[in-house]
Amino acid sequence: MSTIPKKGINATTPLVPEPATVVAVIQETPAIRTYRLVFDDPALMAAFMFAPGQIGLISIFGAGESTFAISSPPSQKDYIQFSVMRTGAVTSAIHELAEGDRVALRAPLGCAFPVDSWKEKDVIIAGGGIGMAPLRSLLMHLLDNRGDFGRIQAFYGARTPADLCYAEDRAAWEARADVDFIAAIDAAHPDWSGRVGLLPGVLEEEQPPAAGAVAVICGPPVMIKFTLQSLERLGFGDQQIFTTLERRMKCGIGLCGRCNVGPKYVCTDGPVFTLDELRRLPAEL
Amino acid sequence: MRFIASDGLPRLLERLREDGAEVWAPRVVRDTLNTVLFSPWSEGDEIETGAYSTLSAKQLVLPATERLFAYRYRLTAEGEKIEIEAAGPGMHAGETVVFGARACDAKALGVLDALFLSTPGQSYNDPHYRTRRAGLTVITLACTTCDSACFCSSFGAGPAETAGSDLILYPVGGGYLAEGFSDRGRELAALDIFEDSSQEKPALAETAVLELAGLEQKLLDIFDDLDFWRGATEQCLSCGYCTYACPTCHCFNIFDEMQGDRDGERCRSWDACMFYTYTLETSGHNPRPEIAHRYRNRMGHKFSYYPANQGEILCTGCGRCIRGCPAGVDIREVLKAAAARPATPGGALQQETES
């Protein structure tokens, strides 16, 4: 994976987060809210650098610290964005946050999508549900550097129209001629005039050519499973397919021991892996 | 060689204390249970030089629980803010001497160094560990006898291992021969409490030697053989004792300790990969739901993944997990059974990739 400078982490005390403030809260779906955070230290904020695919750990003191994909692009210097689905103790505490509330953040951690090696290539992005979060960062980064890549096709699937995040972004992507963006929902719905169908099927119908292309998929396990099958039928090889893994994490720096899949740590070797890399790992997902 | 009489040991340790070092030594702390722990030593305290310590000396570099930082909410002119104050290494941050480590304990420190002093791909390592390790002097007591759980000879030099030791004391008539293996150790051996000696080093213990050739790959080969792992853990209670007693196990948890309504401290403590909740995700998904899955990961980490990543086997054959297991699980039996498997050319995972 590409080596990304690990700026933003205090090198002398890597387990100590930096105070940050919530500058915006966006209700995306009934269960997902997006939070825009700014480090309280202006120098730290100004120096903050990351690449799409990298992660951050948000602390809600008393509840704990959890890992989330950064969903804003590197060009967004005003804030660092995370989309959080309410699931457990920490995410529930995060969902209590309002604009102006104080949190703490350790970011960026992990390895990014190796976009530098994708120059001139077609890029196919397929995101399901909350899995669209790191792919939003990626897609916006690709569009910021549009000339570097071939055709860009982006697919975003959710169960119902109300489960789709990023309404403004979707409208912007749909309006652009230099990206083929398709949002799809699983079954016909009175509020939906767009594409209907499970994402793997929609992707397969569009028949993106595998030659000179990479595919990036992120979403729930069942979506990943069937999208991989679709990509295989379209002729994508294991080294052309990228995904991100999630594991319970604590330290985020490869020391505490829990997020390993065989010899690889999701926090430091990932979260981005090629399918080829995953196939070489013990089957323990 | 240098020699120190048995009654010179307390004088040596007391001098180190006077020089400002914390001194830790194995002491019997519960007579009826014959529990020996590395404990703070001061003049007059008896030292246990026979029985092995029940727990290792890893707490001197990785305390069972330690503070990472304090967090406080403060009202300022710009509204409420969070103040975060890093805790520093706290315990054992200065000069610390551990007396009476065994070769297996001393070697374990070097095995931990491979991770905690050098995190691959990262520009930082563990600052608390680094500070404690830099101030730690290890005085090792060479083993001339061993018990039936010892199997350190399966890994490198066994009782003759010098890695991790600053000074090694070899028991001989009336005291100990002393040999330094670091600048610090040689400096200690030069003290006037020691005298020159022409005595020969004693014969060291010979422990059982397991045939572990090819284990790193074989454990990967049998990864999907769940019957093997279920058989190996049939008696396992998943209590985590082996991980706490182990001198090389180092996984930790991170959690907040509240102090009052909102302020508090973030701490880390020893964790155990044998616990169900260790990898339990918020969604309810658990990649290692069965004891067999967790034990498989523990063995894989020790004998395959850590060697691949850090170049060291995460076991020194100290035998503590065998002596202390309440259910009689014997890591040696599992290792022998795994090593007895025929080697697969290229390995099962590789074959799967090619098929």
Side-chain angles (χ1 to χ4, degrees), chain A residues 52 115 118 123 125 137-149 152:
Chain A
V115 286
W118 297 350
V123 183
I125 289 173
S137 172
L138 175 65
L139 178 56
M140 293 174 89
H141 181 68
L142 297 180
L143 295 177
D144 282 338
N145 300 275
R146 185 64 191 89
D148 290 349
F149 306 95
I152 298 175

Side-chain angles (χ1 to χ4, degrees), chain A residues 29-53:
Chain A
T29 78
I32 299 172
R33 284 182 188 166
T34 287
Y35 295 85
R36 292 178 174 166
L37 307 183
V38 172
F39 283 121
D40 289 354
D41 178 355
L44 195 63
M45 195 64 209
F48 186 77
M49 279 173 60
F50 76 101

Side-chain angles (χ1 to χ4, degrees), chain A residues 14-280:
Chain A
L15 297 176
V16 182
E18 294 288 342
T21 298
V22 178
V23 296
V25 181
I26 301 160
Q27 183 85 43
E28 302 278 9
T29 78
I32 299 172
R33 284 182 188 166
T34 287
Y35 295 85
R36 292 178 174 166
L37 307 183
V38 172
F39 283 121
D40 289 354
D41 178 355
L44 195 63
M45 195 64 209
F48 186 77
M49 279 173 60
F50 76 101
Q54 286 194 289
I55 53 183
L57 279 85
I58 301 175
S59 281
I60 304 295
F61 291 120
E65 188 177 40
S66 288
T67 312
F68 304 95
I70 300 174
S71 63
S72 47
S75 60
Q76 177 50 262
K77 300 291 184 189
D78 295 336
Y79 54 81
I80 309 158
Q81 177 171 310
F82 299 90
S83 297
V84 178
M85 185 158 73
R86 184 198 283 263
T87 316
V90 176
T91 52
S92 294
I94 290 175
H95 271 239
E96 300 298 314
L97 292 172
E99 196 180 314
D101 281 350
R102 309 293 187 175
V103 297
L105 176 64
R106 288 197 284 144
L109 292 169
C111 289
F113 295 110
V115 286
D116 291 346
S117 65
W118 297 350
K119 294 224 164 121
E120 314 298 330
K121 291 187 177 179
D122 295 347
V123 183
I124 292 92
I125 289 173
I130 189 71
M132 195 62 198
L135 300 184
R136 175 186 188 267
S137 172
L138 175 65
L139 178 56
M140 293 174 89
H141 181 68
L142 297 180
L143 295 177
D144 282 338
N145 300 275
R146 185 64 191 89
D148 290 349
F149 306 95
R151 185 179 179 196
I152 298 175
Q153 287 174 281
F155 302 88
Y156 177 24
R159 214 168 296 164
T160 73
D163 295 316
L164 286 165
C165 299
Y166 313 132
E168 268 184 45
D169 301 319
R170 282 188 279 119
W173 297 332
E174 272 162 3
R176 285 180 74 137
D178 57 356
V179 54
D180 299 313
F181 176 78
I182 296 175
I185 58 162
D186 290 358
H189 191 284
D191 297 340
W192 186 252
S193 56
R195 196 73 164 256
V196 173
L198 297 173
L199 205 65
V202 173
L203 173 72
E204 219 168 326
E205 284 160 22
E206 292 299 314
Q207 300 206 330
V214 295
V216 191
I217 58 179
C218 197
V222 65
M223 172 263 178
I224 299 244
K225 182 182 167 187
F226 288 105
T227 307
L228 284 179
Q229 292 174 5
S230 294
L231 288 169
E232 277 168 24
R233 281 193 289 272
L234 290 166
F236 281 80
D238 292 351
Q239 292 174 349
Q240 291 173 273
I241 301 174
F242 296 79
T243 189
T244 68
L245 293 189
E246 285 186 335
R247 275 273 161 131
R248 185 169 192 179
M249 283 182 197
K250 288 286 179 176
C251 77
I253 56 172
L255 294 178
C256 82
R258 80 196 59 227
C259 72
N260 70 301
V261 182
K264 298 292 182 193
Y265 284 88
V266 174
C267 67
T268 52
D269 297 306
V272 174
F273 291 94
T274 62
L275 183 58
D276 182 55
E277 288 172 310
L278 294 185
R279 286 206 200 279
R280 291 168 192 273

Side-chain angles (χ1 to χ4, degrees), chain A residues 3 6 9-21 40 59-66 87-89 91 100 102-104 106 108-110 238 246-248 250-265 267-269 276 279-285, chain B residues 68-69 71 73 76 78-87 115-116 119-128 130 220 223-224 250-256 258 262 266 268 271 277-283 285-288 293-294 296-297 301 304-305 308-309 349-350 352-353:
Chain A
T3 307
K6 301 283 194 282
I9 287 292
N10 186 331
T12 56
T13 50
L15 297 176
V16 182
E18 294 288 342
T21 298
D40 289 354
S59 281
I60 304 295
F61 291 120
E65 188 177 40
S66 288
T87 316
T91 52
R102 309 293 187 175
V103 297
R106 288 197 284 144
L109 292 169
D238 292 351
E246 285 186 335
R247 275 273 161 131
R248 185 169 192 179
K250 288 286 179 176
C251 77
I253 56 172
L255 294 178
C256 82
R258 80 196 59 227
C259 72
N260 70 301
V261 182
K264 298 292 182 193
Y265 284 88
C267 67
T268 52
D269 297 306
D276 182 55
R279 286 206 200 279
R280 291 168 192 273
L281 292 177
E284 194 183 58
L285 296 173
Chain B
L68 296 172
F69 59 87
Y71 55 88
Y73 291 81
T76 70
E78 301 158 51
E80 190 175 64
K81 287 209 158 185
I82 298 174
E83 284 175 8
I84 295 173
E85 189 185 351
L115 177 69
F116 282 88
T119 308
Q122 305 283 338
S123 59
Y124 42 74
N125 44 38
D126 192 282
H128 290 192
R130 188 172 61 238
L220 295 174
F223 189 89
D224 292 319
H250 55 266
C251 294
F252 58 84
N253 192 10
I254 297 177
F255 57 95
D256 293 347
M258 302 291 282
R262 300 178 69 197
R266 179 157 295 170
R268 71 170 165 184
D271 205 347
T277 52
Y278 182 72
T279 49
L280 178 64
E281 294 167 15
T282 309
S283 62
H285 173 67
N286 192 340
R288 298 172 204 145
H293 299 145
R294 303 198 282 281
R296 176 177 68 181
N297 180 68
H301 189 212
S304 184
Y305 315 153
N309 289 333
L349 288 167
Q350 191 61 39
E352 187 185 301
T353 308

